[in-house]
Amino acid sequence: MIRKISCVAAFVFVLVCIAADAFCSAETVNGDLNSRLNAGSIEYEGVAYRPKSRLTTILFMGIDRWNSKTDANTAYRSGGQADFQMLVALDENARTVTAIHISRDLMAEITVLNLLGETIGTRMSQICMAYSYGDGDQKSCELAVKCLSERLNGIRIDYYLAMQLDGIGALNDALGGVQVTLGEDFSIYDPEMTAGRMLTLTGKQAEYYLRYRYDIGDGS
């Protein structure tokens, strides 16, 4: 059961290979391969990968939408897109933390709901869209978790955390402000944000820096 705390096939293959060390332990295949696969291991080029024990996984999502408390819309299919996704694996035995970025453009089979929240089928789409068919809250998170888990061969995802756009400033301030050296001139938004200046960002400045970079300089 999932618990809550608040593009192409080639890409998927590469992602699974990168994630193998975080989620699996490798061993040379010997004996009955089918029995190993039936026990939950995955075989690749003569090596069987078994899921690690004592592993906790968390999906972090950044949602392209303002807080539902300020623009409340309880209809389904209005949740916004999970444009940022990062899967974090905490290995208790090795005492390591591994973060894996999931591209918003990864193609996946997503669950489609109607406006009443009823499942009406699936469709192949960008993985960021899985969140959008929900309610912008728990249901959206569960849809996103289900989609990613299935795309990564059934990897268990224990927790999730979704943050909407107005969380940028709050997160920045909770960290005491993030220090950056501005490579571009943001003074159109804040007079203090001039090119070349080293600045500890306030909440609003962090929002300007992350959201409006596309409009600054060459647009990259």
Side-chain angles (χ1 to χ4, degrees):
M1 180 178 180
I2 302 167
R3 289 162 286 180
K4 178 181 178 182
I5 45 178
S6 165
C7 286
V8 294
F11 177 83
V12 177
F13 175 76
V14 172
L15 179 63
V16 171
C17 289
I18 294 174
D21 186 58
F23 296 104
C24 306
S25 300
E27 61 177 12
T28 302
V29 173
N30 49 54
D32 184 0
L33 175 59
N34 287 330
S35 65
R36 292 176 180 275
L37 293 175
N38 291 336
S41 56
I42 302 170
E43 187 269 342
Y44 173 68
E45 291 191 347
V47 177
Y49 294 89
R50 296 182 302 172
K52 290 181 176 179
S53 62
R54 304 181 73 179
L55 190 70
T56 300
T57 52
I58 309 170
L59 176 60
F60 292 92
M61 293 173 281
I63 311 304
D64 186 15
R65 183 172 184 260
W66 289 105
N67 194 313
S68 58
K69 292 181 179 179
T70 59
D71 65 345
N73 186 341
T74 57
Y76 284 88
R77 304 176 67 147
S78 62
Q81 299 179 22
D83 282 344
F84 172 84
Q85 297 189 40
M86 179 172 287
L87 186 61
V88 176
L90 288 73
D91 188 333
E92 185 176 343
N93 289 329
R95 301 185 67 81
T96 59
V97 177
T98 303
I100 302 168
H101 176 248
I102 310 298
S103 170
R104 70 181 300 281
D105 294 320
L106 173 66
M107 299 302 291
E109 194 78 17
I110 67 175
T111 300
V112 178
L113 307 183
N114 62 21
L115 294 176
L116 298 177
E118 301 166 336
T119 300
I120 57 176
T122 62
R123 61 175 293 191
M124 183 62 66
S125 182
Q126 295 164 294
I127 199 166
C128 64
M129 296 298 296
Y131 185 95
S132 68
Y133 280 93
D135 56 358
D137 201 334
Q138 182 172 340
K139 185 62 177 180
S140 286
C141 291
E142 291 172 351
L143 290 172
V145 166
K146 175 178 180 292
C147 182
L148 179 60
S149 174
E150 292 174 350
R151 199 67 178 95
L152 295 182
N153 205 51
I155 287 174
R156 187 190 76 250
I157 300 176
D158 299 299
Y159 298 95
Y160 59 79
L161 186 148
M163 186 182 79
Q164 295 165 332
L165 288 174
D166 59 346
I168 294 173
L171 178 59
N172 174 83
D173 291 345
L175 296 172
V178 176
Q179 188 178 79
V180 300
T181 298
L182 299 177
E184 301 286 353
D185 185 4
F186 287 80
S187 60
I188 188 175
Y189 302 110
D190 187 314
E192 294 186 10
M193 300 180 71
T194 55
R197 181 174 182 181
M198 181 179 289
L199 191 66
T200 299
L201 300 175
T202 65
K204 199 63 179 178
Q205 289 171 339
E207 183 182 322
Y208 293 149
Y209 183 71
L210 292 176
R211 296 192 64 205
Y212 298 133
R213 286 178 297 166
Y214 184 81
D215 300 324
I216 300 297
D218 62 4
S220 61

